[in-house]
Structures are given as structure tokens and as C-alpha cells.
């Protein structure tokens, strides 16, 4: 049986999970690990507040502890429970904010983040500072839509393009990171409109998870 | 009835709560808010891992949401749930790591942190970086004792003095912060041995909570 | 006789001292230290330049060396003479810029400073960088009024609101610090208009001084 | 014909190229892009000085401009010519220092770099600062061996273990990055000896290149 | 025979070399070293891309290795080959970006850079970050003209004034650095228009080279 | 009459002034400005504390305001009164710490500072942080001698070599800055012993002052 990467959408909205599944298609590989996307039943409909993020840590870690998988991806841009999950298993656990931002650094000097809501921004800023990469941040701006509202393609894309332009032209971003797993399907259209690279973070995290599975580094270290 | 500041020890060890109570004595004030120290029943015996810290967030926030208090202090140096708690109430919520470190900055240029266990250190470093004060950090070194072991006064103080000397002499610290609420009773002895100021973080947080209650700032803002 | 905290307004304008006294009211406490606000006779009418700030250091330190007080607060946002004063006495000496900014960090991720004059800004920026908290600064903008002109409530508040909006909306501040002791009486009105927390720095410094007096830390260390 | 990733060893030592080839084995994938490792004939035997690094930029960029490949990896820890190469082609070009360091950030909070020679260190420090990730650096220490001398397995591994211990125990590293493509074959042994994760940078860069090829992001943007 | 400082314009445009020569006039000194300005024949007409910058490193280092001079100045704001050149000779080698920026730090707290083209900006940002002085950067904005177009005085000065105003008024710069050796002749006019100091970088580098020649520091150290 | 650069030793020890004069010899230039070194009569015998530094600001600024000179150098590594002096005159005023540190950045990636006393170190660290160049600092270590004791050549040089070795070998410095004007005469001997470049800061500041006088930049701007 091949290895399996478990991608966990920690909100309970299946539409988001299905959008993540669609985003995984280019990463599937006959000889490589399977990529399974699951919804965290215990999660809130969308992770919009710090409390939403913190509320999923325990159920998420239970899933990770009990699942038979070679690596895990937490598919929410708050990377909820990332460091607890790394204690819960010796297998690789990757967060989409961490991987999306690090990958963006290979695309341009200053990255911009497109967030869903204004109140997400300080949460992101704390995390980017904790990562120690704040010198590379051009800005983090919200589109003012909650997770559920991302289903409205027209409004969502229009706002993403507006905010993307501001990050590019006013704040000097030369690469954008989409700050919510639920934005995945707008990547290509946004990149076409803005004309700078746009990073979809779940794809970057799954790509890094595949590499980890193939390389098998540090698996037996209790470390960290 | 006077205002009340609720100091929550998020581990379930009553001895730690009582030690915190003892540390509060100089801050009691007939005309000011009461200071109530409580143990979080749902907490683990000590908060030593990221998972320990994350596991107390929800019960801690429930206590904070339901309590009749004018301000809250989370008495664990991981500041678990600090930002969720600030969403759960419009009242001031202060964390002892945040307040202890900020207060230390008024005592000396480079602060050292004395941690309980080696695995606490990266967690602290992430937090200090998120706070944006890492330039002031001289070092963070563990004494290698868990929360329960802090009850052994002789071993604890000996190790705190050793680690404190290293932070002062090798790393250049000119002020120390005790990185666990359970270390409160060793402050004076450590300061006497090391001869640089030693900051007990729960006391700093309660002092700032008293100020917040007296000043009443931002209470009606939904903010943040 | 109870302990006494001496709050020194280093400019010679008594109206500012009286405004500071008014701001102290909520911090008075029957069981705690007295709070005495005094004007530095030798000071200039307002501290608006670096030279103004430097000119008060020696007389300020003389007052501090000779006064019978348990702690001192230097009530000018340039924190003139703070580090000299800490050599002049083993008692706690606190500066309102240091305490105001550190306290603001517990209210929001990015703080904005409202300054009096454009030429104050580089002085503040040097100080914020020396404090090592520049990563948290959203911006520092002047209202273009000198200390004397702050007496004109209508103009002052209008400009503070304008500048505060710019710090909040353009620069992303989620908390504001008033960059002059003479602005104290506008705090509540500004907070109401801007709808993010506004920190009055003299109050924060006196609150921290009260805590220091109560806790008695490091008093006998020659340190630093 | 499947896509091809061209991994260019910019030194002229075929033994290094073959070692890189060996390191690629776990990343080969029947359905994915081929991984071709080539030696830059015009390169010096080892890249040990800034001049060595700068001397390969033009021939390297010619190879990249003329080659029929879907992505390129520059397999030298100085990332020579990385930004010129990105002008020479619209295809992805990745550097092993950039990818190795960014990947290390997902393994631990503070990374240490093991360099070949003392004079490599300032070059690395400039690059790490340019990347904006210096806050995460624990230290960069040399083993004092040139590229050719890495063939002596016994001496090399002994020194890597010594330096790795110093980075871990004195400087607080919790993950190590091997600072030379020629160190690839020592990864597992070093990790076993040091008991913290060890990152082999060429593998990380090729893994990120595979992801880029699969995802096809930003290929048609002139960007940057 | 007196000492000689060799100022190398690494682009092949003699008009730029002559403009540099004109800028040297106030630095000539009967008792001091001669200042010789030469054009690098192998250079491109202007250094506008990273590839342009990298392409001149080898010929530039050959000139430096073979020339009979007491010190060298690389007169291009990308400081191409600066660190290789320092390996090629034990004599002082200075870059105009490094010296121009460091000198600007003695004129004001936040410096702005006026660049030629948008694609110069990330290159400058990487360099400023590598220098470790990014905290002092107000902004780096392009005028959108290539090196050849700088000959059009009217357009060039108009755009420099526009960009300079934006750096001063929007980004808070209190000193400007001209980001191209070819801008030298606009310094005085720009300073008069903008009313903050404007630093011409080649002059600063030659001034520092004169000091190095006079002081003779570190000449016999292999160092670095 | 030629221009004159006034170098002010703000301590009252003529021996230090004479040592500075000796250090100026290589910078004298028949066609250039005169270099006059004077002792500040009102200064303390040595500037060893923050209070010492602050106490000289007013008399220093009076000298600068009243003197007929083209530029001024404050020859004390605390740069006392630098920013006030820049308000007192439109002529260039340079500080030896600022110029010495900035010049050191052109010699190596990480600079070490050799201080006189342990209590100088936090003062330097605040200043280096305010300058925004702390990322380049390897360390700042004291030799434990006051200004008067620097006259004892044997002890002073021995300690400087010891401290210099520690900065080089333990902290990774590749250039040293002498942290007191009174250390000038030990530069060559220290450099010979340590084998990395050693920067004498008064010489760097006077060299920059000569350049300012020759270039005449920003003289008529009220600026800053």
C-alpha cells in the first residue's frame, strides 16, 4: 500500500475540502503518496477568529495521532495546532501558512498576503513575526469576506484583484500569498489579473509533504 | 462590591496556585480590586509542552467568559489562549509572559529567560519573536526541571542560579525573567545570588491588570 | 508616612503639570503611595527639540537625587535623562515613552504614535529603535502643534483625530500612543472618535511605578 | 517526452556531481520530471571564495538559457547567479541555499549552517541577511575543509559532528543545514550522531523544483 | 609619484565616466591621492539588470588585480563584484552603494533611494538587507528611466523631484541617496527642490577611499 | 584662511586630546581644512557613565554654536549631544561612534566593539540599536579600565588583545572598533596582534568631516 498524505481542512465546510481536493490534482503522482483530503467534523464552518483557530487544535491533533498516514498537512492559513501536532506524531506535519510564505520567498523579494477579514491580519502578523520573516512582508490586507462568502466567485475575485493591486502598487509586493485555503480556485485568475506570481498555500504544503515522505528525514528523531 | 481581578493558574496543581497567591500579597490594596487566584481544574498538572498549553485554551476561555471579574491574568509563561481570551471578553486579559518580558525591558537592556525544560525554549522564542522584542533577548536557558519538580527548593534554586549566571556572564543579560509561574517564591533569593534584577512575571501582569481596572481604557471597544 | 511617587514634568508649563495631575486621579489609592506632580522650574516651556530634551537632564537628575520619594516618573515623551537618572538613584525611575509604548504592546499588534511636531518624529524613531520594538511600530505622525498650542482643545483634538485615522487606516495601527504628556486630557475623546485603544503614557508610567514601589524589586542592586 | 529538471553542479568536480546524483534517487518518480545532474565544465574544482562563486555566473546562465528543461537547480550553497539566472529564463530556477534554509525553517526554530571554510561564513551571512531570515540563524561554523577534501569521509564526518554539536549545544540550533552540495552523502550519519534533523539542500531544491513543474505557476510572467 | 585612486565606471558609457569625473572635482587635493576615472570597456552601456551587474565582475576584478593604484572605487550602485574584488587585492575597494547608504545614515534617520528602473528595486532591497540597515530605509522608488535616458536632463530631474517628494512625504525619508552613478550632476538641483539632503554616492565612496589611503589600515591583512 | 574642522574631546583630560591630535597626523592635508583638537574644559576627566555623557551636552553645544569652524567632530564614543549639536548649527557635526561603526561595516560583516567599562556596554547597545545596525554587531566587551587607566600602555594593550580575541574567536567579529577616543594610540599594535582590521573612530569621523567640508552638502538646509 502506498504512503498517504492526509490533508485536513480544519473547518467543517465540505465545499472547502472539495476545493482543496481540486487543487491537489496536479500534485497526484502514480508512483508517489496518495493525497487524501478530509474535513474536520468538529471544526467551525470557517476559521475566522483566533478562537476558531484554537478550538480545532485538540480534535485536529487527535485525528493526526490516530491516522495511518505518512505526513499531514493542516489546511488553514492560521496553521492551527501546528506545533502541538508536531508533538503528537513523529511524522512530518506541515502548515499551509508556513509553507506558502516560505515558498513565496523563492518567487519575489516582498510578499503580500490577501486575508479574508480585517481581524485575521494581526493574527497573521504575529505568526509572520514568529517565523522571523517579517522583513520580507510588503503588507497583509483583507478582502472583507468570511469563509462562506468565498463561494461567491464574482465578488471574491473582484476584491482579491483590488487588494492584490494595492499590495503590488502601494506596498511593493512582487509575489502574493492567498491567505485562506478556501481561495484556492482563484489562483490562476488572480495571477492573470495582477501579473505577479500568486502562491496557493495548500499546494505548497502538500508539495513539501511529498518531499518529506520521499526523503524520510528526521522521522525517528523525537526532537524539536 | 469592589472589582475583582481573576488570576487563573491553567495547570491543575494547587501548590502552584497557592504560590501565586503568596506572590500577590504585596499587590493587595484595600481600596483597589480584589485579586483572586484560581486553579483551572481541566488543566494538566504542569504546562510543559505546546500541547499542554493548547489543551487549556478552551476551558480557560470558558472560565473567562463566564466569570464576574474586571480583568483576567493567565498565569502561565506560555500565555496560553491569550488572544482567544481577548476575543471572549471585552475586559482586559493579560498574560504573564507578555507582561513579564515588557516589564523586564524597563530594568535592563538585555533580558534572559530561565525556563523549566529544554523543549520550552523554542516555544518561548517563537513567542518573543511574535512580540517583536527578540533584539533585546540575551538568551533563554532551561533548568531541566518540570513544574512538579519546582517544589524541591534546593535543586531548583541551585539550577536557577547556575543558569542565571550563564545568562548574565556568557550571554550578557542584565535582567532575568522567571519563565514559569511556579518559580515565584525563588525571586528574592535568585536576585540576591545573581545581583541583577529578577522579574516575577505574575506580579507584573497583576500590576498591569490593576492599572487597567483603575484606568478603564478601551473596555467598550470591540477592537483587535 | 506613606511612600511617594514623584512625577516630574520637565517643561516649565504649569498647565501641563496640572493636566498630568488630573490624569492621575484614577490611580490614587488610599493604601498606596502618594502621587506628587511637580514642574521642573529650569525646563523650557515645552520640550520640542532634542536640545530642549537634553537641556533638562542635569536639573532633572538633581531633583531626583535630592528628592525623598520611592519612585520617579519623567513625564515627557522624549524620556529625557532616563538612563542618567537611573544612575543618580537606586530607586525606580520610569519614562513615559518607554512605559506608554510597552503598555501599548498589550493592546494591539501595531502601535501608532501621535507626535506634536514633525521634528519630534526622528527623535522618537531613534528611541523606539533603541528600545528594540520598531517591528511593532505602524507609524509616527505629527499634528503640527507645539506644547503651548495643545491648550487649544478644538484644533488639537481635530488634528489628533485626523492623524489617528491615518495611522489606523493607512498604516494599520490598532492602538495609539499619545506622544506628549500634554495631550492627556484628550485620551477619552480621541479613543471614542477613532475606536481603537488610546494609551496615555503618563498614566502607564505611574501605574508601573506604583507596582515597583509595592514589589520593591532590585532596589538595593547597584546594577545596570 | 517528460519534463526535465536540470541540476547544475557549478564546480567542475564530477565526483560532486555523482554524489548529487546519488542524493536524487529518492526523488525520482516514474510519472514525474526527469532529474538530470550535470557538471559545469567552466567551473573551478570547488566554489570556496566569492570569486569562485562569481566566476561561474555567466557560463551557468548560458547553460540555463540554452538548455531544454522545465526547471533548474543551482547546486552550490552560494547560490551563484541565482538572480541573473531568473532573468535568463522564465522557467523556475532554484538555489540550494535558499531552498535548504527555507526548508530547515519547517524543522526547527533555530538553524545552524555547517560550512566548508571560514571564509565562506561572511558570504553566507550576507546571503542569509539578504533573505531576511537572520533572526532564525543560530550560527554558521566551518569545518575547515575545502571541496576536494570532503572526499575524505572519516575526517569530514568527524568535523561535521564536532561543529554540529557546537551549533546545537552552544548556539542552540535545533536543525542543521549542510552548507555545501558536496556534503550530501553525510546527511544520515550526521543526523544519527547529532540527533537533530539535518537538511541536505540539493534535495530540498529539487523537491521544490518538482513542485514548480507540476504546478506551473508564474511561468508566463516576466516578473521580478 | 603620488598615490592614485582608481574609480571604475563598470558600464561602457563614457558620458557617465565624464560625469563622475566632474563630480570628483571638489575632492581633488594637491597633497592627496590622484583620482582617476576609467570606463570598463567590457561593460554593457548601462547596468540595469542583475545580469548586467554580474557580467562585469570578472573584467572589473582583472582591472583591479592588474592596476597600480592605492585604492579602488566601483562606481555603480549595484556594487558589482565588490566582495570578489576584495579578494582580488589587499588594497581598499569601496562600492558606491555601500558608502552612499552608510554616509546617508549620518544625515537623517530614514533614507530613501531613487532608482533608475523598477527592476532595480528588489536588487537594492536584497543588498540593503544584506548590509543589515533595512530598518533605516524609508523606501526605494524608480524614476523609470534607463542609464542612457539620464542624459535627458529635463525629464530626469522632473522625475527625480517627483519620486523624491513621494519618498519624503509619503514614506518619511529625511535624506535621499541617488541610486545610480549617472545621476551625479542632478544632486544640487534635486536637493534644492526637495529641501532634504541628497547624497551622491560616488563622491562618498571616493572620500572614504581617500581616508583609507591616508590611514593605511588593514592593508597587509589577508583578512575577511 | 582655510576651513577648520574642530575636534572636541568632551572630557577634560588633555592627554586624551593630545593622543587624538597624534592620530590626526595622517589626515592633515596642505590644501584641505585645518584640524584643531580642543579639550572641553567643563567635561569630566573621563566619560564613563551616562551621566558623564549627558553632562557635557550643553557646554559642548555652546562651543559648537560659538566656534568659527566648517565642521565639528565630537570625540567621545558615546556621541554625547550629537543630535542636539546638529540643531545648534547648520554645519556638519559628526560623532565618532556613528562614523567608526559605519566605517567598520566596509571592513567586515560582523563588528566587535572594545569598550572601557562594563557599564558602557548597555549604553553602546542602545545606540547601536538606535542606529539600526545591530544585525551586524558580533559583540561589545569591556576591558575593565577607566579613561585615566588607558595611559598604562602595557595593561591596556594586553586587555585589548584578550578582549579582541574573544570577539574574533567566540563571537565571530571580523573587524573591531575601538570604543573610546582614548584608545587611539593602540590601533596598529592591536591590529597586528589580532590580525583583523581595527577601526580608530576619531580618524573615521574626521575623514568624513573633511569630505563634508569639501562637498558642502546640505549646509543651507535647516532639515532633519
Amino acid at each position: 500500500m502506498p504512503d498517504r498524505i492526509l490533508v485536513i481542512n480544519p473547518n467543517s465546510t465540505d465545499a472547502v475540502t472539495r476545493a482543496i481536493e481540486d487543487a491537489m490534482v496536479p500534485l497526484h503522482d502514480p508512483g508517489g503518496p496518495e493525497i487524501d483530503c478530509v474535513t474536520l467534523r468538529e471544526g467551525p464552518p470557517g476559521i475566522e477568529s483566533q478562537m476558531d483557530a484554537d478550538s480545532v487544535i485538540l480534535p485536529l491533533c487527535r485525528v493526526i495521532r490516530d491516522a495511518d498516514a505518512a505526513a499531514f498537512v493542516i489546511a488553514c492559513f492560521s496553521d492551527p495546532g501546528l506545533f502541538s501536532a508536531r508533538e503528537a506524531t513523529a511524522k512530518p506535519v506541515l502548515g499551509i501558512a508556513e509553507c506558502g510564505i516560505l515558498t513565496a520567498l523563492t518567487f519575489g523579494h516582498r510578499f503580500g498576503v490577501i486575508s479574508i477579514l480585517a481581524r485575521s491580519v494581526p493574527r497573521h502578523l504575529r505568526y509572520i513575526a514568529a517565523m522571523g520573516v517579517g522583513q520580507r512582508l510588503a503588507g497583509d490586507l483583507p478582502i472583507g469576506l468570511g469563509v462562506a462568502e468565498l463561494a461567491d466567485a464574482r465578488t471574491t475575485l473582484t476584491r482579491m484583484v483590488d487588494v492584490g493591486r494595492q499590495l503590488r502598487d502601494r506596498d511593493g509586493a512582487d509575489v502574493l500569498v492567498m491567505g485562506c485555503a478556501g481561495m484556492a480556485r482563484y489562483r490562476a485568475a488572480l495571477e492573470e489579473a495582477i501579473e505577479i506570481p500568486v502562491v496557493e498555500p495548500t499546494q505548497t504544503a502538500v508539495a513539501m509533504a511529498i518531499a518529506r515522505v520521499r526523503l524520510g528525514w528526521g522521522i525517528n528523531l523525537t526532537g524539536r
Side-chain angles (χ1 to χ4, degrees), chain A residues 3 5 27 29 32-33 35 70-73 92 94 99 203-219:
Chain A
D3 282 327
I5 291 169
L27 295 169
D29 167 15
I35 304 167
F72 300 90
V73 167
L94 293 163
C99 294
Q203 291 176 317
T204 66
V206 170
M208 291 182 92
I210 293 171
R212 286 277 193 99
V213 171
R214 287 188 170 282
L215 294 169
W217 294 350
I219 288 302

Side-chain angles (χ1 to χ4, degrees), chain A residues 5-152:
Chain A
I5 291 169
L6 192 65
V7 181
I8 309 169
N9 167 24
N11 72 44
S12 61
T13 304
D14 282 321
V16 170
T17 312
R18 285 195 305 270
I20 293 171
E21 266 172 356
D22 291 346
M24 294 303 104
V25 170
L27 295 169
H28 281 292
D29 167 15
E34 282 182 19
I35 304 167
D36 275 6
C37 302
V38 298
T39 303
L40 186 73
R41 286 289 147 242
E42 297 89 337
I47 291 185
E48 299 176 351
S49 64
Q50 183 70 48
M51 179 65 91
D52 289 336
D54 287 344
S55 73
V56 301
I57 298 177
L58 294 194
L60 192 57
C61 287
R62 272 194 300 270
V63 168
I64 287 171
R65 195 183 301 108
D66 298 343
D68 182 24
F72 300 90
V73 167
I74 301 175
C76 164
F77 202 74
S78 296
D79 284 357
L82 181 60
F83 296 97
S84 277
R86 287 176 180 169
E87 292 173 353
T89 177
K91 307 284 178 53
V93 185
L94 293 163
I96 69 168
E98 188 176 64
C99 294
I101 289 168
L102 295 176
T103 297
L105 300 186
T106 69
F107 276 93
H109 192 73
R110 288 175 297 186
F111 70 99
V113 176
I114 301 184
S115 295
I116 49 171
L117 298 168
R119 63 178 158 154
S120 311
V121 175
R123 192 164 72 248
H124 294 168
L125 295 182
R126 287 193 298 269
Y127 191 62
I128 290 166
M131 284 181 65
V133 297
Q135 291 179 49
R136 300 282 294 271
L137 179 68
D140 183 324
L141 293 177
I143 56 171
L145 298 174
V147 171
E149 294 166 296
L150 297 178
D152 176 347

Side-chain angles (χ1 to χ4, degrees), chain A residues 182-207:
Chain A
M183 293 173 175
R185 65 179 168 127
Y186 303 107
R187 199 203 69 81
L190 180 62
E191 186 172 279
E192 195 181 352
I194 302 287
E195 295 182 306
I196 57 175
V198 175
V199 168
E200 197 292 304
T202 310
Q203 291 176 317
T204 66
V206 170

